[in-house]
Amino acid sequence: MTRRIVSPSQNLSLGTLHAGQVKAFLALRGHRFKALRCGRRFGKTDFAKTWIKEGLVQGFECAWFAPQHKTWAEVYSETASALAGLIEHTSKTAGVMRLKTGGRLDFWSLENSIAGRGRRYHRIVIDEAAFGKSGDNKTDGSAMEIWEKSVKPTLYDYGGEALVCSNSAGKNPDNFFYNICTDAQYGFSEFHARTMDNPLLPKRLQDESIDEWLTRKEMFQADLIKSNDPLVYAQEYLAEFVDWSGVAFFSREKLLNQGQPVPYPAFCDGVFAVIDTASKTGTEHDATAVTYFAIGHHTGNAPLTILDWDIAQIEGATLETWLPSVFTRLEELARVSRARNGAVGAFIEDKNSGTVLIQQALRRNMPVHAIDTKLTAMGKDERALSVSGYVYKEQVKYSEHAFNKISIYKRNSRNHLVDQVESFRIGDKDSDREDDLLDTFCYGISIALGNSEGF
C-alpha cells in the first residue's frame, strides 16, 4: 500500500507500507487510541511516520513523543526531507515543523514531564513507549503520568488520535506500554506483530532469485532462534511480554569454555580498553572501572577475550594521573597476547568526568575514542539486550586471569567483574547496584563484535 497526495504541482509519496504494516493499518483504523507492539525491524517507526505525514498534508496539528531527544532526531530529519516541498518553516532546535497545508509537527522528549502542555493535536505518536520511565500516574516523570496529565489532554479539542509504538520490554506492571497493551481500562486497541511479519527482510540481494531469497530468509529466521537466548528471542523478535524476574541474564556457562576460563590468546588482532567514569555511586569518590579485551577473528577460538579488569574509587583530580597506567597495562597485554595491531586504544563514555578524561588524553596524544552516542544513549537493559546474542553464541570468554582475579573495592573482596555481570537482571529496580564494570563489559562487546553502530 502506497499513500500518495496528488496536487497540480506535485505527486507526493507518504511512504509504502509492506504487507505486515497494511494488516496493522487495517486493524487499527477506526480506533482512537492505538497500540502497535512489534518485534525488532518490523517497521513500526516507518509506519508511524507515514501516519503522521498523512495527517500533516491534511493540515492536522501533530506531535511526536519519544523517550529522549536522540530518539526523535533522526525521525525529524527524515520527515523534513520527505516533506521538503511542503515545509514553510522548520527548526530542529525548537523541534517544530510548519507546513504550507497548515499542518504542524512538534517533537517532544518524555524526559520533559510537561511535554505537550498548552498544545492541541489531531494526531500524536509515542515512539519506543516501553522505554519511558516506569511508574503509575502518581510517579513524577513516569510515562504513564506524562500520558495522562500532559499528552492525553492535548487530544481533547479535536477528538484526536494516539498511536503508541514499541517493542516489548518485559512483563512489568509499572511499565506504561505493558499496561496499555494488557489492561482494557486504558482504552487502547492493540496490534501485535513479529519481526518475521515484515516480508521484506532480509533484503533480497541483487541478481538473487526468489527461490534463493526465500531459502536464505528461512536460514536467517532459523539462525535468530539458534543464536539468541530463548527469552531474548521471545522479547526482541516475537514482541512477547517476557517475565525476567529472578532470571540471571548473562550465564557463566556461556562465558567459559567447558566450565573453565581460557588462557590468554597466543595471538590476536588487537587489544583495547573500555573505561567508565560516570558518577553513579553517590559516595565520596566516583567509581572508575576499566576492562581490557583482546579481539581476534581468525584464531580458531572465541573472537573476544576479556583479559583483565580493575575498579577503584578515584578522585576526579587524580584521574589524569591514573589514565597513563591504563595504557601501560594495555601495552603489557598487547605483548603477552601478541597483538598484530598492538594496543588500539581506550574507549571512554563521553559524559560526566569521562568527557574531561577524553580531552586530557587527546592533549597528550593518547589513543582514546569516545563511545558512540547511540550506545551511551541507550538504557542499561537495552544495551545488555543488544549484546546478549554474542554472549549466547559463546563469542565472548573470560581469560583465566580475569576470571580468577580478586580485588578489594569498598571494603569488599571479590571478583567484581563476574559479580556485576552475573547479578544483572532485566528490569531490576535496585538502582543502587554497582554496575560500572557491567557497563564496560557491554560496551566492549558492542564495540568489538557489533556493526558500525555497535549493535
Side-chain angles (χ1 to χ4, degrees):
M1 176 188 289
T2 301
R3 307 290 288 177
R4 291 185 179 272
I5 300 293
V6 181
S7 72
S9 60
Q10 60 185 335
N11 184 347
L12 175 67
S13 173
L14 302 180
T16 300
L17 302 181
H18 62 63
Q21 292 169 324
V22 171
K23 288 182 180 179
F25 174 80
L26 295 176
L28 295 173
R29 181 175 56 181
H31 296 284
R32 187 180 178 206
F33 297 151
K34 322 170 206 298
L36 177 58
R37 170 166 58 106
C38 47
R40 302 284 285 273
R41 309 307 304 153
F42 170 76
K44 64 175 178 54
T45 302
D46 285 342
F47 177 91
K49 285 188 296 186
T50 297
W51 185 69
I52 279 290
K53 286 185 288 187
E54 182 185 51
L56 290 171
V57 298
Q58 295 179 68
F60 288 177
E61 296 181 53
C62 305
W64 190 285
F65 297 82
Q68 297 176 323
H69 171 274
K70 291 175 183 175
T71 314
W72 63 251
E74 189 170 344
V75 174
Y76 181 98
S77 299
E78 292 172 352
T79 304
S81 176
L83 299 178
L86 293 178
I87 288 181
E88 187 175 76
H89 169 75
T90 180
S91 170
K92 194 169 188 177
T93 302
V96 63
M97 293 180 196
R98 288 193 177 92
L99 276 68
K100 297 173 184 177
T101 61
R104 174 190 175 114
L105 179 58
D106 295 330
F107 287 84
W108 299 93
S109 166
L110 294 178
E111 294 173 317
N112 179 357
S113 62
I114 60 171
R117 278 187 177 267
R119 302 293 171 84
R120 59 187 185 186
Y121 296 119
H122 293 88
R123 290 184 178 184
I124 69 100
V125 165
I126 303 179
D127 196 18
E128 303 293 1
F131 303 100
K133 182 179 177 180
S134 293
D136 61 18
N137 59 6
K138 301 180 183 66
T139 303
D140 290 343
S142 70
M144 183 61 78
E145 185 212 31
I146 294 172
W147 160 248
E148 293 199 343
K149 296 180 181 179
S150 296
V151 179
K152 189 177 179 181
T154 67
L155 301 173
Y156 181 74
D157 293 55
Y158 299 124
E161 300 176 50
L163 172 63
V164 181
C165 311
S166 192
N167 185 220
S168 55
K171 192 175 184 179
N172 179 0
D174 291 328
N175 184 275
F176 167 68
F177 192 62
Y178 174 76
N179 277 303
I180 68 168
C181 289
T182 60
D183 193 336
Q185 71 167 310
Y186 296 104
F188 278 83
S189 295
E190 181 201 31
F191 185 85
H192 175 208
R194 309 164 304 158
T195 295
M196 291 69 71
D197 293 322
N198 181 343
L200 305 180
L201 297 182
K203 292 183 180 294
R204 185 177 170 187
L205 303 177
Q206 188 176 10
D207 300 326
E208 186 177 36
S209 71
I210 292 179
D211 288 341
E212 290 171 336
W213 174 54
L214 292 175
T215 299
R216 187 167 59 87
K217 179 187 285 192
E218 289 181 3
M219 293 173 58
F220 265 59
Q221 294 178 357
D223 186 63
L224 284 180
I225 299 173
K226 180 181 177 181
S227 62
N228 284 280
D229 180 283
L231 292 179
V232 173
Y233 175 76
Q235 175 169 295
E236 298 300 301
Y237 298 100
L238 301 183
E240 295 177 359
F241 289 115
V242 173
D243 187 356
W244 293 99
S245 58
V247 177
F249 191 72
F250 294 113
S251 166
R252 176 182 296 191
E253 175 189 358
K254 298 293 185 181
L255 292 160
L256 300 175
N257 183 16
Q258 297 183 343
Q260 298 296 322
V262 300
Y264 279 162
F267 55 90
C268 66
D269 296 326
V271 299
F272 67 95
V274 178
I275 298 171
D276 184 293
T277 63
S279 304
K280 301 186 187 75
T281 62
T283 54
E284 181 181 358
H285 304 305
D286 295 347
T288 297
V290 57
T291 301
Y292 302 87
F293 300 85
I295 179 71
H297 289 287
H298 309 288
T299 64
N301 301 311
L304 190 63
T305 304
I306 300 170
L307 302 175
D308 196 6
W309 57 269
D310 194 18
I311 186 169
Q313 288 179 284
I314 303 174
E315 293 182 1
T318 62
L319 278 173
E320 185 177 358
T321 59
W322 168 82
L323 188 59
S325 69
V326 172
F327 289 98
T328 299
R329 180 60 175 149
L330 265 179
E331 290 298 332
E332 293 172 357
L333 292 169
R335 289 194 294 272
V336 171
S337 302
R338 298 172 63 190
R340 298 184 187 91
N341 298 307
V344 297
F347 293 81
I348 304 175
E349 193 174 20
D350 190 7
K351 57 184 179 182
N352 300 323
S353 51
T355 301
V356 177
L357 202 57
I358 291 171
Q359 293 170 348
Q360 292 171 341
L362 290 175
R363 282 199 296 269
R364 294 183 175 191
N365 293 317
M366 293 178 175
V368 297
H369 317 277
I371 298 173
D372 194 301
T373 56
K374 288 187 177 180
L375 282 175
T376 60
M378 295 167 70
K380 198 172 304 295
D381 288 1
E382 196 176 3
R383 199 154 52 230
L385 284 166
S386 75
V387 303
S388 62
Y390 303 113
V391 175
Y392 187 76
K393 290 185 289 186
E394 302 194 38
Q395 295 183 335
V396 186
K397 297 296 179 184
Y398 288 125
S399 71
E400 293 170 344
H401 177 81
F403 184 72
N404 295 319
K405 180 176 181 176
I406 304 294
S407 74
I408 300 174
Y409 172 65
K410 290 188 177 179
R411 298 184 179 180
N412 294 315
S413 178
R414 62 169 67 103
N415 187 311
H416 294 280
L417 173 65
V418 173
D419 180 66
Q420 290 188 22
V421 169
E422 293 185 357
S423 64
F424 173 72
R425 300 290 187 274
I426 290 287
D428 189 355
K429 299 177 184 178
D430 183 5
S431 59
D432 295 329
R433 189 186 301 277
E434 300 288 351
D435 55 18
D436 306 275
L437 282 165
L438 171 69
D439 284 342
T440 64
F441 172 84
C442 292
Y443 282 139
I445 297 172
S446 292
I447 291 165
L449 302 180
N451 60 21
S452 60
E453 296 179 343
F455 299 97

